[in-house]
Amino acid sequence: MKVPLGCGVVLFSAASFAFPTSLLKGDISDDALAEITALAAKISHEAEAKRNFGRVKRAFDAGSQSVKTTGEHAYIAPGPNDLRGPCPGLNTLANHGYISRTGVDSVVTITTASNEVFGMGLDLAAFLSVYSGVMAGDIATVSIGGKPKSGLLGGLTSSLGLLGEAQGLSASHNRFEADASPTRADLYKTGNPVSLDLAQFEQLVAMPKGPNGYDLTVMHPFRGARFNNSVATNGRFFAGPFTQFAVNTATYLFTYHLFANFSAEHPDGYLDLETLKSFEGVKGEPGSFQWEHGCERIPDNWHRRPIGDDYGLVSFTIDALGALKALPYMAVIGGNTGEPNTFTGVSVTDLTGGVFNAETLFQGNNLMCFAFQTISAAGPDILRGLLGNALAAIGKLTDALNPVLATLDCPQLVKYDAALLKAFPGAGSGL
């Protein structure tokens, strides 16, 4: 049986999994509801256009694809009270004022900025912004770094604290941030999954470049190497259904798709070393690289993806399956059991009651269906705990995103045996 994949269920059951209904408090403001309503309308309009016209390959247009890095969007390094975190893309947006330079902003602003600067589809950007918000302690606002300081809130339209005390993305291990990252070390290996690891960056840039620089022909094998390294060195390494197939996959896909510089010569984008260094906040040359926390920036004369060829949920789903086909040994759920090289897999068949198995994950959109439905199955429906504007906002986003996710045509996941993941000390929330 095939069923639509409800975005509201997926995103906001995740929130209840992280934050019991009893912790919910307050409501979001009328202004926040109005912003989310406008965003939902934009998502619906974009989805309708894609249904009517499909994905159109756009010619390079320097004027529309040029991203401004002067004036109000000039680079300014973060101050001592500004928050920066594990995501170089979000740090970049803050350093150029596309989102608040404090590092705390609304999910609507983060969504629209991700679309404006990087060409991320509004559907994918909204999903990630709201998901990161609930996983870090909120619904309508996000700290891209650590725990927000009260002085940062100012006049921000905010719901901070709606789901209890917000902690920020830096404290979201195995929810927003996961093991085997391309440039960040594993939490239980170094204790610091937020800072760029220069040794890993050296390994990445030493990879033989592909036809478009550090493209997917580079990212796929490097991801495989990072996975194997984590298994061999991190006794609490964990690869969960959502973190393995969606979160970890995204960090590699986004590095090329969203950081590549587009031009007439390279209409699919080219990611060279200087561009990669800029977005990752790295200076110097191989063998003597230097990194300073939170100093990621947009290179001058950088051009984003073509307008109208945004990187959305459907494109991500296709690429995630391609990534798994390139690394079929990574089609696993499980982790180390306390010591390095003790990786033990969990049967996907047992975990899902037979709805998915190791073979069917490679069929159609099943990979992302499994990843997304895992969140829904992991906790009760949070809608019972929300009232007023917060409930209305969820309804708006659900209505806008459900038609997009319904195109995945997912099998119905009735059973999810999360108890099978309790054997892994690094599992955390088990996502």
Side-chain angles (χ1 to χ4, degrees), residues 34 60 71 76 122 129 159 176 184 194 227 243 280 301 303 369:
F60 175 72
I76 300 176
L122 287 174
S129 295
S159 64
F176 179 82
R184 267 62 181 174
V194 176
F227 174 86
T243 54
E280 295 284 358
N301 301 314
H303 297 83
C369 288

Side-chain angles (χ1 to χ4, degrees), residues 65-122:
Q65 291 176 238
S66 178
V67 176
K68 188 176 180 181
T69 58
T70 59
E72 64 178 326
H73 294 302
Y75 169 80
I76 300 176
N81 294 319
D82 295 332
L83 298 175
R84 299 294 183 268
C87 178
L90 293 178
N91 292 345
T92 299
L93 293 177
N95 291 340
H96 284 274
Y98 282 97
I99 64 175
S100 172
R101 295 182 186 271
T102 66
V104 179
D105 213 331
S106 71
V107 296
V108 172
T109 300
I110 292 173
T111 296
T112 54
S114 298
N115 174 258
E116 178 184 357
V117 175
F118 295 120
M120 182 182 285
L122 287 174

Side-chain angles (χ1 to χ4, degrees), residues 149-413:
K149 300 175 183 178
S150 59
L152 291 179
L153 301 183
L156 176 69
T157 299
S158 172
S159 64
L160 284 170
L162 181 63
L163 294 174
E165 191 173 21
Q167 298 299 318
L169 297 186
S170 295
S172 60
H173 182 65
N174 275 340
R175 288 171 287 157
F176 179 82
E177 170 272 317
D179 290 332
S181 160
T183 60
R184 267 62 181 174
D186 293 359
L187 171 63
Y188 296 116
K189 183 178 176 181
T190 68
N192 181 7
V194 176
S195 300
L196 181 138
D197 187 288
L198 284 173
Q200 288 178 212
F201 188 79
E202 290 272 10
Q203 294 164 9
L204 171 57
V205 303
M207 296 284 289
K209 289 193 284 292
N212 289 308
Y214 295 102
D215 57 18
L216 298 188
T217 68
V218 178
M219 292 298 164
H220 291 334
F222 185 64
R223 183 184 178 213
R226 289 288 306 121
F227 174 86
N228 292 333
N229 178 267
S230 288
V231 170
T233 60
N234 178 4
R236 301 181 72 175
F237 171 71
F238 177 70
F242 188 72
T243 54
Q244 170 79 336
F245 296 142
V247 175
N248 180 263
T249 303
T251 59
Y252 291 86
L253 296 178
F254 291 176
T255 298
Y256 168 64
H257 281 301
L258 303 185
F259 291 169
N261 189 22
F262 286 73
S263 64
E265 181 182 1
H266 295 286
D268 293 321
Y270 190 95
L271 183 57
D272 62 18
L273 177 57
E274 291 305 311
T275 301
L276 180 61
K277 284 165 51 181
S278 184
F279 278 116
E280 295 284 358
V282 174
K283 296 179 181 179
E285 300 301 323
S288 59
F289 286 132
Q290 297 176 336
W291 179 81
E292 187 175 353
H293 176 73
C295 290
E296 298 87 346
R297 65 190 300 169
I298 301 169
D300 292 334
N301 301 314
W302 183 78
H303 297 83
R304 51 152 282 174
R305 300 175 64 84
I307 305 297
D309 187 25
D310 295 340
Y311 192 72
L313 271 169
V314 174
S315 296
F316 173 65
T317 298
I318 294 171
D319 279 350
L321 179 60
L324 196 64
K325 288 182 175 179
L327 303 163
Y329 63 88
M330 289 185 63
V332 291
I333 301 300
N336 283 341
T337 56
E339 297 292 336
N341 282 322
T342 57
F343 189 90
T344 304
V346 171
S347 167
V348 175
T349 302
D350 293 343
L351 192 63
T352 65
V355 173
F356 300 105
N357 59 50
E359 290 74 34
T360 59
L361 285 180
F362 289 90
Q363 298 173 3
N365 297 313
N366 284 345
L367 182 67
M368 281 301 101
C369 288
F370 176 42
F372 290 151
Q373 287 181 316
T374 294
I375 308 175
S376 176
D381 185 2
I382 197 174
L383 298 182
R384 291 176 299 175
L386 294 179
L387 301 170
N389 289 345
L391 183 61
I394 290 171
K396 297 290 185 181
L397 287 172
T398 298
D399 291 345
L401 287 170
N402 271 345
V404 180
L405 292 170
T407 63
L408 299 182
D409 196 24
C410 291
Q412 184 175 14
L413 181 62

